[in-house]
């Protein structure tokens, strides 16, 4: 009896919606292109979803504290450029630069909190800074990814394709850290009720800085994975990621405010977005309509979410 | 018994050879070629896609290949195009022809395609991955010949105005370096100023009009295509004498040139790349699938219109379009023979 009630609850549907959308699109892809139903096919379908999933998780940390990062796309591009140049030629300098990036992100968190600035404005400004650095570092596209990154991203484990293992590991690790530890509760609490956290004696400043630093860490992982997959970099390689990552978080069941996020949902959301693009291209929809169709998929999923929310409100 | 066996062997060998010949001659009728294109938002790209479509349809009707589908990414981003190429691999195409969003960022996807046994030919926007073929345009030369032409026309030299393309784009850098090299070769010229015209008439006109008041007498304007007509308008509006403006094969540029030629005998030249280079890439891919030995690095000739060919060039250009040359299979074969 209790089991049945659980399946009818909005909570279940909210969590299941991202997984259902992914399954739905995946079935569509398999139906159109049976060749995709293989180790090789799944690998090709999902390997470019991994950097997007990492960028989505990065975005999720910022959204968890009620902020928005409009610079993640250019940041990932910059990391890709660092990965293909400094990290390859002078690894120490490369690592120092990446650590510097994390420090800058933490400072951004502090700046936004102390001066109470709108994060959209600060990060939009930073997006030009990151882009500028990337162009300075790599004025013309080029460079080459370090061999160890290449080996890592092209590793082919037996039975299950690497992208699926990576996605599952990413989702579970972040889920455990954010949803199952007391530390995670604090982090989400900043977005949920900042005053309560302050009254309980915690430093919101430190928490926000940590969340921004984590954004940078996952942004770096996204950039390095991307450069590994692409083999070399371009200063504009990941500009699309800003909007994709925000859409991924929302598609995965997150909310812009209130610290309501779902790491597993975010990873599934990012994969759904990538897969939708493939699905539409297999359908042979003209490119003029593809963006519209992608938008339509987003609207359908969000409309279903609204229905779930209404169910919640009725209780 | 022994004789019987050897006869049998000989016949088998003969049959195999004959079969081998037949296969290599009609090898590509079941092959499918795809075009992965990153952008369709200007007249050149539209003409490029149109040429591809017309040519591929004809080739499919003639039974030379089984398919020649064109795909354009919804957004001009390397990550989108990489995903698109991976989708094309999954769809089982035998060859993928690419006009790339980035020379390097697609290398991973291109390598995947090569590893899957797919022939990859890049053109115009070429990729650096060694396993792919490249049909490149010598943009640097395109800049150099403009200054060479001006040098032939103007014995005394003088001040030039340079109209560049879009900052930070590979093509702009290449043509610009060619122009710089040309000016270094002909010391009588000096670049008095340069503006970014973004390959668009209206932008070029505004940019030239803005810089003209601060310029000394200009004897020639070196351009990148799509900006010559705008420059001419800006000179006319400022009431300055029209210098020799190099044109870029666009219909409006050629029309203006023709008007000036009829009115006062104006002379110049026009140079750009024919969008029909997509059809050359198509046939190169087909020839590679056919088993022909094709060099990995190919340079495509650009399309130059001189004073004498102006009428013909204008007649071959659609209103709003770009002068075009399309390659047939025989043209492509002749071209490949000439480079080998």
């Amino acid at each position: 009896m209790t089991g049945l009630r659980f399946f009818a609850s909005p909570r279940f549907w909210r969590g299941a919606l991202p997984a259902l959308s992914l399954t739905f699109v995946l079935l569509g892809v398999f139906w159109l292109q049976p060749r995709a139903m293989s180790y090789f096919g799944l690998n090709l379908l999902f390997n470019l979803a991994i950097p997007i999933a990492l960028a989505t998780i990065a975005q999720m940390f910022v959204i968890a504290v009620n902020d928005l990062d409009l610079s993640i796309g250019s940041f990932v591009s910059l990391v890709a450029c660092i990965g293909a140049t400094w990290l390859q030629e002078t690894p120490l300098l490369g690592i120092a630069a990446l650590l510097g990036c994390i420090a800058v992100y933490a400072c951004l968190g502090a700046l936004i909190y102390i001066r109470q600035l709108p994060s959209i404005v600060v990060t939009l400004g930073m997006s030009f800074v990151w882009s500028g650095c990337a162009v300075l570092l790599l004025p013309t596209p080029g460079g080459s990814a370090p061999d160890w990154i290449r080996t890592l991203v092209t590793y082919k484990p037996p039975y299950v394709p690497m992208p699926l293992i990576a996605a599952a590991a990413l989702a579970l690790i972040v889920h455990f850290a954010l949803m199952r530890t007391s530390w995670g509760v604090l982090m989400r609490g900043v977005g949920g009720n900042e005053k309560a956290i302050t009254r309980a004696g915690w430093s919101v400043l430190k928490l926000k800085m940590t969340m921004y630093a984590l954004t940078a860490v996952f942004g770096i992982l996204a950039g390095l994975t991307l450069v590994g997959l692409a083999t070399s970099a371009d200063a504009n390689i990941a500009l699309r990621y800003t909007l994709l990552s925000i859409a991924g978080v929302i598609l995965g069941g997150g909310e812009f405010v209130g610290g309501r996020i779902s790491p597993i949902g975010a990873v599934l959301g990012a994969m759904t977005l990538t897969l939708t693009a493939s699905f539409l291209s297999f359908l042979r929809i003209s490119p003029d309509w593809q963006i519209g169709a992608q938008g339509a998929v987003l609207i359908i999923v969000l409309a279903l979410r609204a229905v779930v929310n209404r169910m919640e409100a009725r209780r | 018994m022994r004789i019987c066996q050897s006869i049998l062997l000989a016949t088998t060998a003969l049959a195999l050879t004959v079969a081998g010949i037949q296969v290599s001659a009609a090898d590509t009728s079941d092959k499918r070629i795809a075009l992965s294109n990153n952008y369709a938002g200007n007249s050149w790209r539209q003409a490029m896609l149109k040429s591809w479509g017309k040519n591929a349809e004809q080739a499919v009707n003639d039974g030379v290949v089984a398919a020649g589908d064109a795909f354009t990414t919804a957004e001009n981003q390397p990550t989108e195009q990489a995903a698109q190429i991976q989708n094309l691999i999954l769809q089982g195409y035998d060859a993928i022809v690419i006009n790339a969003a980035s020379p390097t960022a697609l290398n991973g996807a291109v390598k995947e395609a090569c590893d899957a046994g797919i022939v990859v030919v890049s053109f115009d926007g070429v990729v650096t991955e060694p396993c792919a073929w490249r049909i490149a345009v010598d943009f640097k030369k395109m800049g150099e010949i403009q200054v060479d032409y001006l040098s032939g026309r103007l014995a005394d030299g003088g001040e030039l105005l340079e109209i560049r393309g879009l900052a930070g784009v590979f093509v702009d850098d290449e043509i610009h370096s060619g122009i710089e090299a040309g000016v270094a070769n002909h010391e009588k010229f000096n670049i008095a100023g340069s503006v970014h015209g973004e390959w668009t008439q209206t932008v070029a006109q505004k940019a030239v009009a803005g810089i003209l008041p601060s310029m000394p007498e200009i004897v020639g304007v070196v351009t990148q295509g799509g900006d010559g007509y705008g420059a001419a308008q800006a000179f006319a509006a400022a009431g300055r004498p029209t210098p020799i403006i190099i044109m870029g094969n666009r219909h409006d540029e050629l029309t203006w040139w023709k008007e000036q030629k009829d009115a006062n005998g104006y002379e110049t030249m026009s140079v750009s790349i024919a969008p029909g280079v997509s059809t050359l890439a198509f046939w190169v891919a087909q020839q590679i699938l056919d088993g022909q030995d094709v060099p990995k690095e190919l340079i495509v000739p650009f399309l130059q219109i001189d004073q004498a060919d102006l009428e013909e060039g204008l007649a071959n250009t659609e209103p709003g379009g770009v002068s075009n040359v399309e390659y047939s299979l025989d043209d492509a074969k002749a071209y490949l023979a000439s480079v080998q």
Side-chain angles (χ1 to χ4, degrees):
Chain A
M1 195 62 201
T2 44
L4 263 180
R5 194 169 289 168
F6 174 70
F7 282 115
S9 72
R11 197 190 147 92
F12 167 76
W13 284 106
R14 172 180 275 273
L17 207 50
L20 283 177
S21 349
L22 180 63
T23 319
F24 193 70
V25 185
L26 193 61
L27 286 178
V29 167
F30 284 163
W31 175 59
L32 285 173
Q33 195 53 254
R35 230 184 294 244
M37 228 183 315
S38 63
Y39 183 96
F40 174 73
L42 286 171
N43 204 22
L44 280 183
L45 272 183
F46 285 116
N47 67 2
L48 282 168
I50 295 307
I52 299 179
L54 284 161
T56 306
I57 291 289
Q59 183 70 259
M60 192 195 69
F61 283 115
V62 177
I63 289 184
V65 292
N66 294 354
D67 285 344
L68 210 52
D69 186 359
L70 292 186
S71 68
I72 194 77
S74 26
F75 178 68
V76 172
S77 302
L78 171 64
V79 172
C81 290
I82 293 177
T85 52
W86 287 347
L87 204 58
Q88 161 79 348
E89 294 143 17
T90 45
L92 275 181
L93 181 62
I95 291 167
L98 294 180
L99 290 176
C101 287
I102 298 178
V104 171
Y105 250 95
C107 292
L108 282 183
L111 179 74
I112 288 169
Y113 175 70
I114 295 171
R115 306 294 312 160
Q116 291 292 313
L117 297 169
S119 62
I120 294 181
V121 177
V122 177
T123 54
L124 184 64
M126 280 312 287
S127 75
F128 297 110
V129 175
W130 300 130
S131 276
C133 293
V135 172
L136 283 178
L137 192 59
L138 206 64
T140 50
S144 69
D147 291 331
W148 58 272
I149 297 182
R150 254 330 265 149
T151 328
L152 213 62
V153 297
T154 54
Y155 176 66
K156 297 216 158 62
Y159 308 119
V160 187
M162 186 65 176
L164 296 185
I165 299 179
L170 173 69
L172 292 177
I173 290 172
V174 179
H175 176 82
F176 180 78
L178 268 185
M179 315 305 269
R180 290 275 180 271
T181 63
S182 50
W183 173 85
V185 172
L186 274 179
M187 294 291 176
R188 288 182 289 131
V190 176
N193 193 340
E194 200 181 299
K195 281 207 180 101
I197 300 279
T198 322
R199 279 212 198 107
W202 300 94
S203 156
V204 174
L205 174 68
K206 274 186 196 157
L207 288 171
K208 265 210 165 176
M209 285 174 76
T210 318
M211 282 309 240
Y212 271 84
L214 279 171
T215 302
V217 169
F218 281 88
I220 287 170
L221 292 178
L224 294 182
T225 321
L226 182 59
V227 79
L229 287 170
T231 72
S232 59
D234 184 317
N236 301 321
I237 192 166
L239 296 187
R240 273 275 282 162
Y241 281 17
T242 303
L243 292 180
L244 277 179
S245 64
I246 297 173
V249 173
I250 303 306
L251 202 59
E255 302 273 351
F256 281 119
V257 286
R260 286 192 86 161
I261 45 159
S262 156
I264 297 179
V267 171
L268 291 176
M271 290 167 81
T272 312
L273 278 176
T274 324
L275 209 56
T276 309
S278 299
F279 176 68
L280 294 174
S281 118
F282 289 145
L283 264 183
R284 306 283 320 257
I285 290 187
S286 118
D288 305 333
W289 291 98
Q290 265 186 31
I291 292 193
Q294 227 164 341
V297 171
L298 265 174
I299 290 173
I300 292 172
V301 176
L302 291 183
L304 289 175
R305 261 268 294 288
V307 173
V308 172
N309 283 351
R310 198 162 293 175
M311 270 163 70
E312 250 172 346
R314 216 182 290 155
R315 302 224 151 191
Chain B
M1 192 65 196
R2 184 66 55 85
I3 299 169
C4 253
Q5 221 167 22
S6 63
I7 289 177
L8 192 69
L9 272 177
T11 357
T12 323
L14 191 68
L16 276 177
T17 338
V18 171
I21 291 167
Q22 275 171 347
V23 165
S24 77
D27 207 4
T28 59
S29 59
D30 61 338
K31 301 284 187 195
R32 297 161 68 227
I33 303 178
L35 169 67
S36 161
N37 175 43
N38 66 316
Y39 180 61
N42 62 27
S43 59
W44 195 91
R45 289 292 177 115
Q46 287 293 338
M48 189 271 278
L49 286 169
K50 220 166 145 186
S51 290
W52 171 280
K54 215 165 65 184
N55 183 58
E57 198 187 327
Q58 187 62 42
V60 171
N61 288 343
D62 293 350
V64 187
V65 293
D69 307 320
F71 298 86
T72 300
T73 51
E75 282 194 58
N76 182 11
Q77 294 287 335
T79 42
E80 296 254 307
Q81 202 177 8
Q84 184 194 51
I85 292 170
Q86 299 196 343
N87 289 339
L88 293 176
I89 302 174
L90 270 182
Q91 281 164 287
Y93 284 95
D94 300 286
I96 302 177
V97 176
I98 302 177
N99 194 345
S102 155
T104 55
L106 304 177
N107 283 352
V110 170
K111 189 84 190 19
E112 297 264 11
C114 293
D115 290 348
I118 296 169
V119 169
V120 180
V121 177
S122 61
F123 73 99
D124 185 36
V126 293
V127 295
T128 55
E129 169 59 47
C131 74
W133 274 261
R134 270 162 290 284
I135 304 178
V137 180
D138 194 349
F139 287 111
K140 194 168 174 198
K141 182 92 179 290
M142 213 169 109
E144 251 181 277
I145 59 165
Q146 298 187 22
V147 188
D148 290 346
Y149 170 81
L150 289 176
S151 171
R153 288 282 310 280
L154 302 160
D156 300 333
E159 303 289 328
L160 302 183
L161 174 65
E162 183 189 4
I163 306 181
R164 298 186 59 166
L166 202 58
V169 176
F170 164 79
V171 175
D172 171 57
D173 276 347
E174 284 290 295
I175 300 181
H176 172 68
S177 73
I179 287 171
E180 275 191 328
V183 171
N185 281 341
H186 304 283
E187 281 179 357
K188 58 190 173 181
F189 289 116
N190 177 42
I191 301 220
S194 78
V195 291
H196 286 278
E198 298 180 7
W199 304 301
T200 312
Q201 305 295 359
T202 47
V203 179
Q205 180 174 352
K206 231 184 305 177
V208 173
I211 198 175
L212 266 187
S214 65
M215 289 283 107
E217 195 198 341
I218 300 289
V219 295
V221 181
V222 282
T223 62
Q224 298 200 350
D227 40 16
Y229 177 72
Q233 294 300 313
F235 272 93
R240 295 176 69 135
T242 312
I244 302 176
I245 303 172
I246 310 281
M247 296 297 166
N249 294 0
R250 268 62 168 186
H251 184 261
D252 50 1
E253 296 178 334
L254 298 179
T255 311
W256 177 84
W257 179 9
K258 172 81 175 114
E259 282 166 17
Q260 298 297 308
K261 183 185 172 184
D262 292 345
N264 54 33
Y266 185 77
E267 278 185 45
T268 184
M269 66 167 274
S270 178
V271 65
S272 187
I273 328 131
V277 63
S278 62
T279 58
L280 177 64
F282 176 90
W283 291 117
V284 166
Q286 188 267 341
Q287 286 291 297
I288 299 167
L289 287 174
D290 193 34
Q292 304 297 322
D293 190 22
V294 177
K296 286 255 156 130
E297 313 288 333
L298 297 167
I299 299 281
V300 67
F302 32 70
L303 179 61
Q304 185 172 336
I305 299 176
D306 294 319
Q307 195 74 10
D309 338 310
L310 173 57
E311 281 75 17
E312 194 192 338
L314 188 56
N316 289 337
T317 310
E318 282 178 40
V322 190
S323 292
N324 202 355
V325 179
E326 283 170 5
Y327 291 78
S328 67
L329 177 56
D330 292 331
D331 296 340
K333 276 183 175 162
Y335 165 74
L336 288 175
S338 73
V339 293
Q340 258 155 4

